[in-house]
Amino acid sequence: MSKLQTAVRDIAEEMRVRTDRGEVATYIPELANVEPKHFGIAVVGVDGEVATGGDFAMPFSIQSVSKVFTLTLALGKAGDRLWSRVGREPSGSPFNSIVQLEFEKGKPRNPFINAGAIAVTDLILSGHQPREALGEILRFIRFLADDPSIAIDEKVAASEQRTGYRNAALANYMKSFGVLENPVELALGVYYHQCAIAMSCLQLARAGRYLAMSGRNPETGHPVIQAERARRINAVMLTCGHYDGSGEFAYRVGLPGKSGVGGGILCIAPGKASIAVWSPGLDLAGNSHLGRVALEALTKRMGWSIFGA
Ligand code: GLN
């Protein structure tokens, strides 16, 4: 068994028996029904080695992890013009905070807080019907993971659509400053559906490989995006991917990562591996508690922190 396989096996076993698991998100009613005992991990090395543990094959709601893929798509579409609509500084605020938007005249701090992600989705939507924009997002993720079976969990999307009062407030507020081009309901509809994409750890780790491989598609060797862009997406993941827990994540794990309230984290060890973990219980900042603990253990054992072994 390789060093990686042994580390992943040990970590999955450690996480299975831990009793500190955080709290599952309840503000999206459908997510409140998820069993907090799950833990999954999948690591896909740039050399093709795959190591998996726990519930690595079970699909979960990727939620905000989807924002990495929409940011990639939107940069492909708009290039650096994107940054005139959305900033790239850490927010130091919760993911659904509204106060900062007023100070900054409707321009969201970064593409990973909810306001920023809604603005990014609005950009993808421009010139399309919502169904086409969503199809483009889903096709892109299926292509990255090389898995056509990836789908949207309509129950989760409907559940959030019914209760997404805060996101509606954020979107309306941005619309009043002209930051959104499309009708608020349409931008939100696409956003809720992209968040409701269900993927397993293995599918997610496979989808993230281009970020570990300087933007290249590992199957074909062809670029998905330019190397410079992949590097920059990783930078934004490091500084903003865990909201007001981003500093703590960098301190403990030392890798770019993007969390979602479904309990998933996509984490990139540039030049080494794409990693996905899932544990539905969250910490106070809305990031997977055991997901972070597991990643901290993995990077320590493998010496993968970008800040040194
Ligand atoms: N769909 C969720 C929301 O908008 C995503 C938040 C998250 O995963 N942090 O609230």
Side-chain angles (χ1 to χ4, degrees):
M1 217 186 238
S2 72
K3 182 177 172 191
L4 175 63
Q5 305 277 351
T6 317
V8 166
R9 185 202 57 197
D10 293 353
I11 290 166
E13 179 53 26
E14 266 170 53
M15 297 306 126
R16 192 178 65 78
V17 296
R18 290 268 295 232
T19 50
D20 58 322
R21 305 191 84 85
E23 301 287 330
V24 299
T26 51
Y27 77 98
I28 301 175
E30 199 60 27
L31 293 184
N33 302 328
V34 178
E35 166 58 57
K37 285 226 167 70
H38 291 301
F39 175 83
I41 178 167
V43 185
V44 179
V46 297
D47 56 1
E49 181 177 12
V50 177
T52 53
D55 301 315
F56 71 90
M58 192 175 284
F60 59 89
S61 193
I62 65 167
Q63 292 297 321
S64 289
V65 182
S66 65
K67 298 170 182 176
V68 173
F69 306 119
T70 47
L71 174 63
T72 306
L73 265 182
L75 280 170
K77 203 168 164 171
D80 284 339
R81 272 194 301 121
L82 175 104
W83 302 117
S84 63
R85 280 220 233 162
V86 182
R88 48 175 188 259
E89 292 294 344
S91 68
S93 312
F95 62 86
N96 54 5
S97 166
I98 200 160
V99 281
Q100 214 160 31
L101 263 187
E102 179 162 24
F103 285 122
E104 293 174 13
K105 305 208 167 33
K107 181 178 174 180
R109 264 289 166 109
N110 68 62
F112 292 152
I113 52 172
N114 286 8
I118 294 166
V120 167
T121 297
D122 176 73
L123 198 147
I124 295 172
L125 175 58
S126 289
H128 298 282
Q129 294 299 320
R131 189 182 292 274
E132 292 167 352
L134 199 55
E136 189 182 352
I137 296 168
L138 193 58
R139 269 195 306 280
F140 183 54
I141 293 176
R142 286 172 172 169
F143 158 74
L144 292 172
D146 193 22
D147 190 335
S149 72
I150 294 166
I152 294 170
D153 185 333
E154 291 290 344
K155 271 167 100 180
V156 173
S159 175
E160 187 168 14
Q161 199 135 23
R162 269 198 309 277
T163 55
Y165 305 112
R166 281 212 198 187
N167 285 324
L170 292 167
N172 278 292
Y173 199 73
M174 285 190 288
K175 184 76 180 170
S176 77
F177 282 99
V179 172
L180 300 187
E181 286 176 355
N182 300 283
V184 164
E185 322 73 71
L186 301 191
L188 283 175
V190 178
Y191 171 76
Y192 292 140
H193 283 80
Q194 86 183 44
C195 288
I197 293 172
M199 290 170 83
S200 68
C201 289
L202 185 56
Q203 289 169 328
L204 195 54
R206 287 171 58 84
R209 290 171 297 181
Y210 71 106
L211 291 172
M213 299 184 68
S214 305
R216 275 176 295 116
N217 176 327
E219 309 295 333
T220 61
H222 294 314
V224 177
I225 48 166
Q226 298 154 2
E228 180 182 81
R229 207 156 262 168
R231 196 165 69 234
R232 288 177 159 168
I233 293 170
N234 284 336
V236 182
M237 285 171 75
L238 181 80
T239 52
C240 310
H242 282 72
Y243 317 110
D244 42 345
S246 298
E248 184 70 6
F249 190 82
Y251 179 84
R252 290 185 177 275
V253 179
L255 292 175
K258 181 74 208 83
S259 67
V261 290
I265 302 175
L266 172 63
C267 191
I268 304 299
K272 300 196 170 65
S274 169
I275 309 154
V277 290
W278 172 50
S279 173
L282 309 178
D283 63 19
L284 292 176
N287 303 312
S288 173
H289 171 62
L290 285 190
R292 200 261 298 138
V293 172
L295 287 168
E296 184 177 357
L298 182 71
T299 45
K300 197 166 166 187
R301 279 178 69 156
M302 299 304 292
W304 279 352
S305 165
I306 59 171
F307 300 110

